[in-house]
Each structure stands twice: as C-alpha cells, then as structure tokens.
Amino acid sequence: MPSRNSSEPHSDDDHSEVGGGEPVGLPSATQAIESLAAVLSRGGAVSQELIGLATELGRVLLGTSTLAPAKRDRRFTDPAWSQNPLFRRLVQAYLATTGSLDALVDDLDAHVEDHRLAERARFTANILAAAAAPTNLLVTNPAGLKRAFDTGGASLLRGLRNMVDDLRHNAGMPTTVEPGVFQVGRDLAVTPGAVVVREPLAELIQYTPSTETVHERPILVVPPPIGRYYFLDLRPGRSFVEFAVANQLQTFLLSWRNPGPAQGDWDLEDYASTVLSAIDHVRAITGSPEVNLVGFCAGGIISSTVLNHLAATQDPRVHSASFAVTMLDFGERAPLAVYNDRTLLGLAGRRSKRAGVITSRELGAAFTWMRPDDLVFSYVVNNYVLGERPPTFDILAWNADGTNLPAALHNTFLDIFQNNSLTKPGALTALGTSVDLSQINLPTFVTGAISDHLTPWKACYRTTQLVGGDTTFVLSYSGHIASLINPPGNPKAHYWQGGPSGADPDAWLEQATRTQGSWWEPWARWAKERSGSLIPAPGAPGDAEHPALDPAPGRYVTSAATS
C-alpha cells in the first residue's frame, strides 16, 4: 500500500518490530465496521475512486498496467510475480484495490475533525489489506506452489500440522518463534553481573565492569514494566547493557517482577517508589551522591514522575536523565489513537480490575494487529503456506516472553493515555507530589525513532519542550524496538542530531545532521560527560549491606506470574 508519509525519511525497518507501548484495548468489530462505513460515506470520493479503480483494473486485464510492488515489500519477491502474466495481473489487481482503499482512508482523514475515527479506519483497512494479500493462500502463492511440488506435498502436511498446533496451543495465531531455541541466561541476558537487591516489585542488577576504570557517577536503567527487561541485554554484540559497561559506565538495571492477580493493586506509586529506592541503593553501593537515570519506553513514564518528585522537593539525587522512545505527551497525532475511545478504555480498565492483571497475551494482541503484514500474515505464509517452522530470531523470542501488567498501573496508564495527564500540571500525583514536568530542571537526553508506530518521534520530541533544563534530542532510524537494539557497526544504522531547539520538530529535522552509526554512540558521549571522573573499577558487586544474591539475570526475569 502506498506510504502516507513519503515526505519523511525512511529506513529498512526490521520486520521484528514489536510492542512495548502502553496497553489499551482492541477496537470492537462494531467500531471497525463503523469506521469503514465512515470511509464509504464519502460519496464523491468513493465514486471518483471507483472510476479510477475500474480504469486501472482494465489496464491490468489488458496487460498495460505499470503497477508493481514496492521494492521493500518482501511478500512479492518471487520472480513469478513479475514474470508470470497471471500472477503479475493478480498482484496488480491487489495493489490497485488496496491503493484505492488507502486513498479513501486518506480522504476521510482530511475531512473529519476526529482523528481517532480516521485512525480506526486506517487500522481496519490495514488489517483487511493484509488479510486479502494473495500470498496468504497456497493457490495464489507461487512460492507455496513450488514448495509443495518440490517436496511432493510434504510442505502441505507440515503447514496443516503447524496450523492445527496453533489452533490448539496459540489461540489460533501463527507462532512467531520456535519455543526453546533461546534460553535466558544462556543465550539471552548474558552480560555478567549480580542481583544486589531484591524487593517485591523488582530486582536490582549491578553489572560487572569490563574495564579497569569506571566513571564515578553510575547509571540506573529503568525498563518498561511491560515485557522482560532483556531486550536491553539481548545477546553479545546486541546489548545496550554490554555497550554501556564497555564505555566505562557503572551500570545498574531494574528487573521488574511479573505480577499475578494478587498484585493487581500495584500502582504507579509503587513502581515510582521502587525506582526511588533503587536510586538510594545504587548511591550506597557506589558511594556516589548522585546517579544518572535512563528510562526506556514506559519506564520513562515512571522515571518522569520520580524526577518530578525530586525536583519538587529540591532533592539532587539524580544528576541527569535519558528518555528512549518515551512518549509523555499523548496529545500528539499517533496510530495509538485507534485505541483512544472512552467506552473502549473503560471496558479495558474494568476487565483488568476484575482479573487483577491485563495478561501478556492481551497486551501483545493490541500491538500485533498494528503491524498485521509483519507480525501476523508473514507467519501465516511461512508456517502454513510454505510449511516451515518460524525463523530463529532473538527479539521475537523476547516478544513471546511476555509479562502481565497489574490492574492499578494499567488503569493509571489508561488515564495518562486518554486524558494526557502528564502534560497537565496537577492532573496526576505520584510519590505524594503533584506532577508538573516543567519542574524537572536537569540535563536531559531524549531519543525518538523515525518510523516508530507506537511512540512517534514527534511525540517523543515533545519531551524536550515539557521538561526544563538543557535538552538534547537524537532521532534514530528504524522503528520502536529495532531502534533500541541498535549496536554500532550496522551499515544501515544512522541518526539525526544537532537541529535547533524549539517547539517545531520538523524545523529541528530540517536542520539536523544525519550521521552514520547508532544513537548509542552520541548517548554514551553525553552520558560520560555527566558521569564524573574515572576511578578504579569495583572488584566485586554490591557491598556489605548489599551482598550479591544471585548472578545476573536473576530470578524475576524468568519467573512466571506471581501467585
């Protein structure tokens, strides 16, 4: 389908892009139908588009159409889609039809005030277009037909077996990762370290220095409470933690516990208190009066309330803050608006209150369907049409290893999402302090990702305007999670930096400098400048009051839901 943002820079976004944003509920079938009805109610636009579609389909039939799949569309890479007259016409008809649907959604978007209606229409149209792709059926997929012929029908039997297995064990969704291929502590989350504090909500991990000297002021990493922390310590060479340690940064990280129904009353206050407690433990262990705080995704939301409390009480325990793909202003236009419906959010909140938690499966479903081509139907083709097992990929193993979210925190996130509470001074309270982000007056490093569909980069940029103090913004290539797992050395990786500070993100980007490499690199330079002098690296984790309890990655990261 044609891109609606062709004016912005794009990159080859990894198809592994997965969820990590704030949890909301899926639109109902009624809302989906209503959004499509709104698209079709635009009579003049529909008539004009039908005429154009009929004309293009005529060209397709005559063999004179010039429509062709985008080069980055991996669904149609088989030569038959361009060389076989039947398959070429089939894909051209598909592109013409979905392109017309796309144009009608754009027309609705341009003529309605409620952008949430337009986003629901776009969401529904994307799912319909992805489901209608000819690659999803064996008889219209040349690669699937060839595979069936080459294997003497064995691929058909494997595909049927895979489908039955998913119906029985995966709620009918295609499996995205082969179970058991990756093991936490053996293949994933292997950077050396130790758990030095264990509290009800989180373990505090101190990582072992890999250099003889370290900066005296440590960093504390706050991951999102949605999903396991180890996307930040995926594998050697693909680990933010490993990179930080190699850059002489004393690195500590919170590993959140996976809550069960009995922990349904854990709320923002509890999570913020745990961060505040961790700051004190890190200070005690290192002897540094201050720490540098690094918040990722929803971990940045929690961190912002801690920073607000410290600012309001004139407490200098945090020297600098970093926010990675964290959206604090939900008033910006974003695909997440598809879920911003009062009735829908009320239902989602009541459901999680009854259950005590919103489950990892429910969390995953909401964001999986925002990328139906990549996260659903590519696996329909691979698993069922081609009869293959899912590819072996570390980030998909992490994505399948989900966690629950307690109902109290879930409902607070819903309030922040629906009412944009963080941007309204006094609308939210945390740690007994009324939240006013403008009080935060310390050096701040903020990142966004150019093709992020969960926390759009312009919304991330808004953080530079919400907080006080000196702010630095760096824009990464790629999408949400792919931008975070972004080690130096990737020839595709690049980032923008150096644009003028101000309220207009487009003006910033227009004057920013594109640099080859990973945003990790300018962040490390920035962090090191704010981490004090070099001192000898500690010889062992913890101290007398904080003995090593377990080797990293600890117990919480592998635990099932707490009973």
Side-chain angles (χ1 to χ4, degrees):
M1 296 175 69
S3 171
R4 302 183 186 92
N5 298 297
S6 58
S7 61
E8 291 189 357
H10 287 277
S11 63
D12 292 330
D13 194 13
D14 196 305
H15 79 286
S16 65
E17 185 62 41
V18 291
E22 287 61 51
V24 287
L26 281 166
S28 66
T30 299
Q31 289 174 316
I33 294 170
E34 288 175 350
S35 66
L36 287 181
V39 170
L40 298 177
S41 69
R42 301 281 307 160
V46 171
S47 298
Q48 183 178 355
E49 198 59 45
L50 285 176
I51 292 172
L53 177 59
T55 302
E56 187 60 42
L57 290 177
R59 295 192 189 102
V60 170
L61 188 61
L62 294 173
T64 59
S65 174
T66 59
L67 285 177
K71 291 182 179 180
R72 296 191 309 180
D73 193 336
R74 287 168 289 196
R75 296 174 298 175
F76 303 108
T77 55
D78 192 284
W81 293 114
S82 59
Q83 297 175 11
N84 182 291
L86 179 61
F87 283 113
R88 184 176 66 250
R89 285 172 169 80
L90 183 61
V91 72
Q92 287 176 332
Y94 169 74
L95 293 174
T97 304
T98 55
S100 291
L101 180 60
D102 203 37
L104 289 173
V105 172
D106 285 344
D107 176 79
L108 176 70
D109 197 356
H111 291 90
V112 296
E113 294 183 2
D114 186 358
H115 68 272
R116 295 172 300 178
L117 175 63
E119 289 297 344
R120 282 197 292 272
R122 199 182 309 279
F123 176 83
T124 305
N126 283 341
I127 293 177
L128 290 176
T135 47
N136 296 333
L137 298 176
L138 176 66
V139 294
T140 52
N141 187 320
L145 292 172
K146 292 174 186 175
R147 182 67 56 84
F149 179 80
D150 291 342
T151 62
S155 65
L156 302 180
L157 295 177
R158 291 196 300 265
L160 181 61
R161 184 173 63 244
N162 291 343
M163 183 182 295
V164 171
D165 188 62
D166 285 338
L167 288 170
R168 293 179 59 193
H169 305 296
N170 201 39
M173 293 290 288
T175 300
T176 59
V177 63
E178 192 74 43
V181 173
F182 294 104
Q183 182 177 321
V184 177
R186 183 194 70 189
D187 310 292
L188 310 173
V190 297
T191 300
V195 174
V196 291
V197 176
R198 180 174 293 117
E199 294 192 347
L201 271 74
E203 292 177 326
L204 178 64
I205 300 173
Q206 180 181 8
Y207 288 95
T208 304
S210 60
T211 55
E212 292 184 358
T213 58
V214 295
H215 287 277
E216 58 184 344
R217 185 176 295 120
I219 67 169
L220 171 61
V221 179
V222 183
I226 306 164
R228 314 282 183 173
Y229 82 82
Y230 62 86
F231 72 94
L232 296 171
D233 186 25
L234 205 56
R235 283 197 291 171
R238 282 166 58 78
S239 167
F240 176 85
V241 168
E242 177 190 53
F243 176 82
V245 170
N247 275 274
Q248 300 175 291
L249 295 170
Q250 295 193 72
T251 304
F252 292 77
L253 179 145
L254 283 170
S255 172
W256 298 111
R257 192 175 182 181
N258 186 14
Q263 289 75 44
D265 60 348
W266 287 356
D267 59 13
L268 180 61
E269 190 85 7
D270 296 306
Y271 281 83
S273 295
T274 300
V275 173
L276 198 59
S277 174
I279 290 172
D280 285 338
H281 290 307
V282 172
R283 292 168 63 230
I285 291 169
T286 62
S288 172
E290 302 170 320
V291 306
N292 294 320
L293 200 61
V294 186
F296 284 82
C297 313
I301 292 178
I302 298 170
S303 297
S304 72
T305 65
V306 174
L307 295 169
N308 172 83
H309 171 73
L310 295 177
T313 56
Q314 298 183 332
D315 189 323
R317 277 180 275 181
V318 173
H319 179 75
S320 75
S322 301
F323 294 95
V325 294
T326 295
M327 189 158 64
L328 302 180
D329 186 348
F330 288 85
E332 292 290 310
R333 178 70 181 268
L336 277 174
V338 66
Y339 303 129
N340 196 346
D341 176 86
R342 187 169 297 276
T343 301
L344 185 68
L345 296 183
L347 176 63
R350 290 191 296 273
R351 184 170 62 239
S352 67
K353 283 181 179 178
R354 286 196 302 270
V357 295
I358 180 169
T359 67
S360 59
R361 185 182 294 275
E362 291 169 329
L363 285 169
F367 298 101
T368 292
W369 286 107
M370 293 184 73
R371 297 286 297 275
D373 275 332
D374 294 339
L375 298 179
V376 180
F377 292 101
S378 66
Y379 296 99
V380 167
V381 173
N382 180 82
N383 301 1
Y384 308 155
V385 178
L386 299 180
E388 298 290 339
R389 295 303 298 167
T392 301
F393 200 32
D394 49 18
I395 191 58
L396 290 176
W398 167 79
N399 188 45
D401 189 15
T403 60
N404 302 327
L405 198 67
L409 182 62
H410 176 226
N411 277 269
T412 299
F413 279 163
L414 292 181
D415 175 72
I416 291 172
F417 175 60
Q418 182 175 347
N419 299 313
N420 207 12
S421 308
L422 286 171
T423 66
K424 301 172 181 177
L428 190 69
T429 299
L431 298 172
T433 305
S434 191
V435 174
D436 180 357
L437 297 182
S438 66
Q439 294 186 100
I440 300 172
N441 189 20
L442 43 71
T444 305
F445 189 97
V446 181
T447 74
I450 194 70
S451 53
D452 192 336
H453 69 296
L454 294 178
T455 56
W457 78 269
K458 293 181 182 180
C460 294
Y461 180 86
R462 275 282 297 146
T463 298
T464 66
Q465 309 301 303
L466 292 173
V467 301
D470 178 55
T471 59
T472 299
F473 184 74
V474 173
L475 178 61
S476 174
Y477 94 116
S478 195
H480 191 73
I481 293 295
S483 73
L484 300 180
I485 305 169
N486 195 356
N490 180 356
K492 294 182 180 179
H494 52 273
Y495 58 90
W496 291 263
Q497 63 178 350
S501 60
D504 187 354
D506 290 315
W508 180 91
L509 181 58
E510 185 177 349
Q511 299 182 54
T513 301
R514 172 174 161 156
T515 304
Q516 198 71 21
S518 165
W519 69 266
W520 292 5
E521 296 165 294
W523 171 81
R525 291 191 292 269
W526 182 91
K528 286 163 69 72
E529 290 173 358
R530 290 156 181 82
S531 296
S533 303
L534 289 173
I535 59 174
D543 60 14
E545 300 297 322
H546 303 85
L549 304 177
D550 288 298
R555 300 181 186 179
Y556 284 0
V557 74
T558 57
S559 65
T562 307
S563 60

